[in-house]
Amino acid sequence: MSFPDNKLTVRSPADLVAAVPYLLGFRPSDASIVVIATRDRRIVFAARGDLPAPDAPANHILDVAANLIPVLRRQQPITDLMIVGYGTEHIEPALLTVSEALTASGMPLLELLRVTGARIFNLTCDNPNCCPPQGTPFDPTASLIAVQATAAGQVALPNRAAVAARFAPVDGAARDRMRRATTEAVTRLTAVSSAGEAAADEAGARAVRDALRKHDDGKRLTDDEVAWLTLLLRRPLVRDLAVELTQPHDPHVTFWADITRRAEEPLVAAPATLLAITAWRCGDGALAGMAADRALQVDPDYRLADLLLQTLHAGLPPTVFEQAIANARTNPSAQ
């Protein structure tokens, strides 16, 4: 089977395990469950979740499957389903329960694997010649998949914390500079707004275009430019223009991650949402979800971030979200 972009080919359980971090964007921690769906031998969906503790009530484990089933059904038609669990043998009962619930719902399970350290245990094969009970040794650093993925520009960060660090707020002297720059930007915006709302929106449109152009030219925005941009992004028309002009490629993910890091806390929601949208359009669901969470942490009522997160959790494609954005533009009160 192949990755969605056909850059990599998965031929064995070891290849599948090596591919998981590149599908997710980070390496899953213990007590994680990863579900991968294929259609005509192409991977069309991958998601990670947390497994309940070994002593958790059975209904907690069934809840994991209950949450997955409707999401997987939206990916139909599915040819095969593969499940990879991470942890010691204590997680096997939970893995088996989830897999049984998925197959009972009509999902075609192909592989059920457990990964512990440098060993892979195949829970769907009892042939000791190919799947020994002590597990199959596995070195992810020696995998051809890892080499090919890296060459293709795909990244697997060590964990979810490393993903969050990409847009963690700056501190120290950098934060002090941003605080001063934002105070000055507020004074500047007050003067611009005295000429009317249209003047403020026009200033925002110029700020967005200038910021993206400067980044595309290989230059980093100054603190004053970031402060001015983040202040104007509070305006829905300005933010929507930024959504429209931002391209689905890694440099613009990096751009919005930097703006999110440097923005003053009350102004984080808009750039974090733009980071989430851009990451999702690039296929990085993990970063998209975490950035949307960051936006909602700052502003729980930020509708665009909430809409994105709901769409992600439902397993819907970006086209559905794009349509929802278009609908929201006709109803400003929903933004």
Side-chain angles (χ1 to χ4, degrees), residues 224-306:
D224 288 337
E225 289 168 333
V226 171
W228 184 234
L229 176 63
T230 54
L231 196 62
L232 289 162
L233 283 172
R234 292 188 303 175
R235 307 182 67 82
L237 288 177
V238 177
R239 182 206 60 201
D240 289 350
L241 177 65
V243 171
E244 179 182 339
L245 295 181
T246 299
Q247 298 301 307
H249 54 53
D250 288 339
H252 279 189
V253 172
T254 300
F255 172 78
W256 288 116
D258 182 53
I259 302 304
T260 302
R261 294 190 72 223
R262 296 163 70 189
E264 282 291 276
E265 186 75 2
L267 306 177
V268 161
T273 301
L274 286 159
L275 170 60
I277 293 170
T278 312
W280 191 33
R281 286 171 169 169
C282 292
D284 193 340
L287 177 57
M290 295 171 74
D293 279 335
R294 174 76 173 115
L296 291 170
Q297 178 187 23
V298 173
D299 183 356
D301 297 322
Y302 203 75
R303 292 292 301 277
L304 191 59
D306 184 55

Side-chain angles (χ1 to χ4, degrees), residues 171-186:
D171 55 14
R175 175 52 58 205
D176 292 339
R177 291 195 301 271
M178 281 306 308
R179 190 171 294 116
R180 289 193 295 270
T182 303
T183 299
E184 293 171 3
V186 170

Side-chain angles (χ1 to χ4, degrees), residues 144-205:
L144 182 59
I145 289 288
V147 174
Q148 292 174 333
T150 302
Q154 293 174 293
V155 176
L157 295 176
N159 48 45
R160 281 174 60 85
V163 178
R166 292 189 63 183
F167 57 92
V170 299
D171 55 14
R175 175 52 58 205
D176 292 339
R177 291 195 301 271
M178 281 306 308
R179 190 171 294 116
R180 289 193 295 270
T182 303
T183 299
E184 293 171 3
V186 170
T187 301
R188 179 183 175 188
L189 182 58
T190 299
V192 171
S193 298
S194 65
E197 295 297 309
D201 284 335
E202 289 171 7

Side-chain angles (χ1 to χ4, degrees), residues 30 85-89 91-92 114-121 136:
D30 281 353
Y86 291 79
T88 65
E89 65 273 11
I91 71 167
E92 286 190 11
R114 178 173 65 82
V115 180
T116 301
R119 288 188 177 272
I120 301 172
F121 298 82
T136 302

